[in-house]
Structure formats: structure tokens, C-alpha cells
Amino acid sequence: MIYYASVDKKSEIAAVTVTPPFNILASFHYYKNKAGEIKDLLARGVSLFIDSGAFSSESSGKPINIDDYIAFIKETGVSVYAGLDVIGDAGASMLNQKYMEQAGLQPIPTFHLGSSLEDLKPILEEYSYIAIGGAVYSAGVEEHLDNVWNYILNNKPSVKVHGFGLTNYEFMKRYPWYSIDSSTYKRLKRFGHQNILYGDFKFHIVNEAEYKQFLKTIGYKVADMSRGELNFVYDYHSVQCYKQYAAYLTERNKRKDFSELSAQKTLFD
């Protein structure tokens, strides 16, 4: 399943929640003073994944208070949420994990690419749902992912794995993720081009002019639309593409043999 991240505006929430499934990843870093909005989304049937926003918080120089994070999760009643990880410090991340558990919570622990396999081993042994972070900013991401998935598939293939910030659709199909999150659906507004699905289950990169032309072929009167309406349609249609792709991968993965990953020699040998 895909959780849509960086859903910052009402129009973006609307674009994500036109058709089910309604999945949104919300960062505590940005929503810490908006518990009411989170509760409203839950009441509307939105499936929420709360991320601590540790990376964003570290970048802004405003560290997250773990007790505030715990209180937020309890107040909102959200059931899927990540632990408060400490970037580059697996030991400190696990201490936070245990602290949250002692407070009565069940956070999903995160393993960051580039960390030692020894840091992954205890996470894999103890938890049934884990997350992999660092896939956006790390060099040699595919090599790292191949080796991590090799270890997972050979030691605990039943574990559910979430991929944080997984915007690369080739990585989406290469590995048997349980869930991922991405803000790629809004790429056109940010960078002027977008991955869309058409003709087959492959993504094609289009610029805005090409996107408009495609939308015309499926019935949209783009010449009559305001900028706000166009942005909504871009978001909505892009979300639909990813929903279709996620459904396709879910069915494909039931039949796909990932033995090529489990058979690969890892760098950890």
C-alpha cells in the first residue's frame, strides 16, 4: 500500500481521498499543533501513518521532544506510527523505541540504510512490522536495498516492511514491500514534471504541456481550468496512477518469486 506524504493543503487531502484507499502519511514535525486535524481525518476513514519527522526536525535545528510525540499519538488515537529515530545512531533510536513502548505504545522501528547489519538483526528478531529509511538520500541505494532485503528474506521473510520516502517506482516493484510512502504525486507542482501511468504498468515522465495533452485525451477541458483546478487534477490523477500501480504490485507480488534477491551474496558476509 502507498501512503501519500507531504499532504499539506486541503486540496491535496481532497485529491488523495476521492477514491479509496485513503492513505496519508503525516509528520509529527508538521502536525504537532494540529491534533484536531488528525482526529478529523481518522473520523473520515483515512488510514494514517504518523512519522516523527526526525529528519526534518534535525534539519531545522528543532529536536523533537519524545514526550510530546507520545502525548500526540495518544491524543489522536492513531494506530500506525513510527518510533522516534535518531539519524545515524541506532542505539539511541532503540532507546527511544523502548521508552515509547514503556509508555504503552507500539511504534514501528526504523532501520536506516548504511547502518550495520548488527543493528538490523535485533529489530528483525523482535518486530513484525519494521521500516527502512534513508532510501531517498543515500548513495548506492539499490546495492544497500539488495543486501538488506537479502538478509530479511533469508531470516524473516514474513516481516512487514515499510519504505520511507520511496519515490523510485523501479524500487517499488523490485522489492516485496508491505507499504511505502511518497510525495511524488505532487512532483509537477514542485519540479515541472511528473511520472504518470498510461498504456501499460510503467511510469512515463511528462512535463506540464504533455500532461495537459494527455488529460485532454481522457476528457478534461484543461483550457477552461484555473490554476487551482489544474493543480487539483494533476494531484488527483497522479494519485490514481499510484493507487493503480500499488494494486497491481500487490497482486503481482502474491505470485512473484523473489528468490533472486534472497540468493544474492550480501556485503555483510
Side-chain angles (χ1 to χ4, degrees):
M1 79 177 74
I2 297 180
Y3 289 92
Y4 299 93
S6 300
V7 183
D8 305 322
K9 302 175 182 177
K10 289 183 178 180
S11 63
E12 292 170 353
I13 293 173
V16 171
T17 57
V18 173
T19 61
F22 308 143
N23 302 329
I24 292 176
L25 181 137
S27 170
F28 170 70
H29 176 70
Y30 295 107
Y31 275 86
K32 58 186 175 184
N33 297 317
K34 301 177 181 180
E37 292 185 24
I38 294 295
K39 288 188 279 189
D40 287 344
L41 288 172
L42 288 171
R44 290 173 51 190
V46 174
S47 176
L48 283 169
F49 188 131
I50 301 297
D51 175 33
S52 68
F55 181 83
S56 298
S57 178
E58 183 180 86
S59 300
S60 69
K62 299 177 181 179
I64 292 173
N65 181 293
I66 192 169
D67 292 310
D68 291 343
Y69 185 40
I70 290 170
F72 177 86
I73 292 168
K74 289 184 174 181
E75 179 184 357
T76 58
V78 69
S79 60
V80 182
Y81 45 89
L84 176 56
D85 50 330
V86 179
I87 309 299
D89 193 332
S93 296
M94 185 52 67
L95 286 175
N96 283 346
Q97 178 78 15
K98 295 302 180 183
Y99 184 84
M100 292 178 71
E101 290 173 4
Q102 290 169 3
L105 301 181
Q106 295 180 307
I108 296 169
T110 301
F111 173 79
H112 286 276
L113 294 185
S115 296
S116 167
L117 179 64
E118 293 304 311
D119 298 325
L120 175 61
K121 185 177 179 180
I123 295 174
L124 204 59
E125 289 175 347
E126 185 171 353
Y127 299 95
S128 60
Y129 194 0
I130 68 171
I132 295 177
V136 178
Y137 303 101
S138 300
V141 172
E142 184 171 325
E143 184 177 35
H144 282 297
L145 285 172
D146 278 355
N147 283 280
V148 169
W149 272 107
N150 175 281
Y151 186 81
I152 290 172
L153 292 173
N154 279 302
N155 290 276
K156 194 175 181 180
S158 63
V159 71
K160 297 176 181 177
V161 183
H162 179 84
F164 275 123
L166 202 80
T167 58
N168 186 310
Y169 76 92
E170 291 290 347
F171 292 164
M172 289 168 61
K173 71 179 183 180
R174 183 171 176 80
Y175 310 102
W177 306 101
Y178 175 77
S179 61
I180 64 167
D181 69 87
S182 174
S183 61
T184 304
Y185 72 94
K186 56 192 284 185
R187 193 176 183 89
L188 185 71
K189 295 185 301 186
R190 300 166 69 187
F191 305 111
H193 54 84
Q194 178 65 51
N195 296 327
I196 65 170
L197 201 65
Y198 64 87
D200 50 26
F201 281 104
K202 293 181 180 179
F203 280 91
H204 305 264
I205 299 176
V206 297
N207 58 33
E208 185 169 14
E210 292 168 329
Y211 208 161
K212 284 182 177 179
Q213 186 58 42
F214 172 75
L215 291 173
K216 287 179 184 179
T217 67
I218 58 175
Y220 285 95
K221 297 180 180 180
V222 296
D224 299 329
M225 292 181 178
S226 66
R227 170 49 61 180
E229 290 170 331
L230 277 171
N231 284 342
F232 173 81
V233 170
Y234 293 148
D235 288 347
Y236 165 73
H237 182 262
S238 299
V239 164
Q240 293 303 113
C241 287
Y242 280 96
K243 287 183 179 182
Q244 291 174 31
Y245 196 60
Y248 160 70
L249 290 180
T250 297
E251 291 305 311
R252 187 207 65 156
N253 288 357
K254 293 176 182 178
R255 304 181 299 275
K256 182 173 172 55
D257 181 2
F258 288 94
S259 59
E260 75 277 7
L261 290 173
S262 59
Q264 290 173 357
K265 179 179 175 60
T266 84
L267 294 179
F268 301 121
D269 286 345

